[in-house]
Amino acid sequence: MTEQRKISCIALDLDGTTLRDDKQISAENRRAIEAALAAGVKVVIASGRSLGALPPSVTEIAGIDYAITSNGAAVYRMKDGVCLRRIRLEQRAADEILRMTEGMRLGVETFLNGTSYASREYLEDPVAFGAMPYAVNYIRSTRQPVEDIRAFIREHHGELDGLDLITADEEKKQELQKRLSSAGLPVYITSSVKNRVETVAAEAGKAGGLKFLRELLGIPREETAAFGDGDNDIDMLEEAGIPIAMANASEACRAAAAYVTRSNQEDGVAWGIYEILRIPPRGAEKK
């Protein structure tokens, strides 16, 4: 990253990007974000998480005013929690997803008005559904358990931000994505981690949320940088003038980026911010 360009906005994915694997933000990443804010840059959260699952360690950083949540289905103003843009999952799409997966052993999650709900079976043993052991506490602390998640989804038709399917079986995941993609549903299908198939309305996606905020704030695409690591970040990177992938990013995510920074375990967001803003590192010694 050698070209000097004006940066007015930085969009940050959280898990696997701004957060370490233990779901914490490093001191160096926090310092870099605060330095960007002090330089007048708008820093925007862009996550697959729902509003209620965003970590206070990030949302409480003074100056972070907006969050793109639930893979772009809902965009919030942080100071008062007002939802500025919401794209609901269509009822017929949710119905068909439930029909296509009837009888399959899957973890199921859904997002409703900023809160995450999950099947009790999944929350009792997330590792059995492919979650990494270090993520178990995060999963259990940010989801509301529901005994019959499919009935819950049907009860809230037309109100949902998104619907996720979770499995430890990679072949089953690939087959689910293939079947959903060929079903002609009005959905955007993506994946943030290897055990998830994530669906939101076709008009959602992190790119849609970022474009909405850019236009709201009057920020040109070429003055926008975005950091991500997962397949659900690809559309956002394509929407940004300066797309940056983490070293730990998926192959497809790295292919969508113009630059690759260090991994999420090595303060990659901080080093990327220092580089694009030409700010000298203030914390760890540069390698």
Side-chain angles (χ1 to χ4, degrees):
M1 287 182 274
T2 58
E3 181 184 358
Q4 180 66 63
R5 298 172 65 175
K6 180 181 179 182
I7 310 295
S8 299
C9 177
I10 298 174
L12 296 175
D13 171 56
L14 293 180
D15 299 283
T17 300
T18 306
L19 304 180
R20 300 184 307 235
D21 289 347
D22 63 4
K23 306 302 180 182
Q24 302 300 312
I25 184 171
S26 70
E28 192 67 28
N29 278 356
R30 186 182 181 105
R31 276 192 288 266
I33 290 169
E34 289 172 342
L37 291 165
V41 177
K42 285 288 183 185
V43 177
V44 174
I45 295 168
S47 179
R49 298 191 187 203
S50 64
L51 178 67
L54 299 180
S57 60
V58 177
T59 61
E60 291 174 357
I61 296 176
I64 294 184
D65 298 327
Y66 301 96
I68 299 164
T69 69
S70 300
N71 282 325
V75 178
Y76 288 91
R77 186 171 61 210
M78 299 305 294
K79 67 178 181 181
D80 52 14
V82 170
C83 186
L84 302 174
R85 177 183 188 260
R86 172 165 271 124
I87 309 294
R88 305 281 195 186
L89 187 65
E90 287 189 27
Q91 177 175 335
R92 66 186 180 95
D95 282 342
E96 184 62 14
I97 292 170
L98 292 179
R99 187 197 67 77
M100 292 173 65
T101 59
E102 196 68 48
M104 298 177 67
R105 187 171 185 265
L106 299 167
V108 180
E109 290 185 347
T110 193
F111 310 102
L112 173 66
N113 296 327
T115 300
S116 303
Y117 298 87
S119 52
R120 186 177 296 279
E121 181 185 21
Y122 166 57
L123 294 182
E124 287 177 348
D125 190 2
V127 174
F129 291 88
M132 299 301 292
Y134 58 72
V136 170
N137 288 338
Y138 154 69
I139 291 167
R140 289 175 173 164
S141 65
T142 55
R143 274 74 168 167
Q144 296 295 320
V146 178
E147 201 65 48
D148 189 340
I149 190 68
R150 290 173 178 270
F152 179 86
I153 290 169
R154 292 187 177 99
E155 289 167 7
H156 293 279
H157 274 161
E159 302 175 58
L160 306 177
D161 292 338
L163 196 166
D164 291 359
L165 306 170
I166 308 158
T167 177
D169 187 328
E170 178 65 21
E171 287 188 11
K172 183 186 288 185
K173 176 198 169 183
Q174 296 297 333
E175 179 62 23
L176 278 171
Q177 286 185 300
K178 182 178 179 180
R179 289 179 61 195
L180 290 172
S181 297
S182 62
L185 300 175
V187 295
Y188 166 64
I189 303 163
T190 189
S191 180
S192 58
V193 290
K194 65 180 182 179
N195 67 326
R196 286 177 172 271
V197 178
E198 301 164 38
T199 65
V200 291
E203 300 83 3
K206 292 186 183 183
L210 181 57
K211 183 178 180 181
F212 168 81
L213 279 178
R214 281 200 307 97
E215 293 175 350
L216 178 71
L217 300 172
I219 296 174
R221 176 180 178 273
E222 59 269 20
E223 295 179 15
T224 301
F227 289 73
D229 76 296
D231 290 356
N232 66 325
D233 296 313
I234 292 172
D235 69 328
M236 177 175 71
L237 296 190
E238 292 172 344
E239 173 62 25
I242 305 172
I244 304 168
M246 311 303 291
N248 55 286
S250 70
E251 182 178 348
C253 184
R254 291 196 303 272
Y259 308 102
V260 176
T261 185
R262 298 180 182 184
S263 78
N264 67 312
Q265 295 288 84
E266 302 172 300
D267 302 325
V269 161
W271 296 110
I273 289 175
Y274 293 147
E275 182 73 19
I276 62 176
L277 296 184
R278 298 296 192 267
I279 297 173
R282 295 186 293 171
E285 182 179 338
K286 191 170 184 179
K287 296 179 183 179

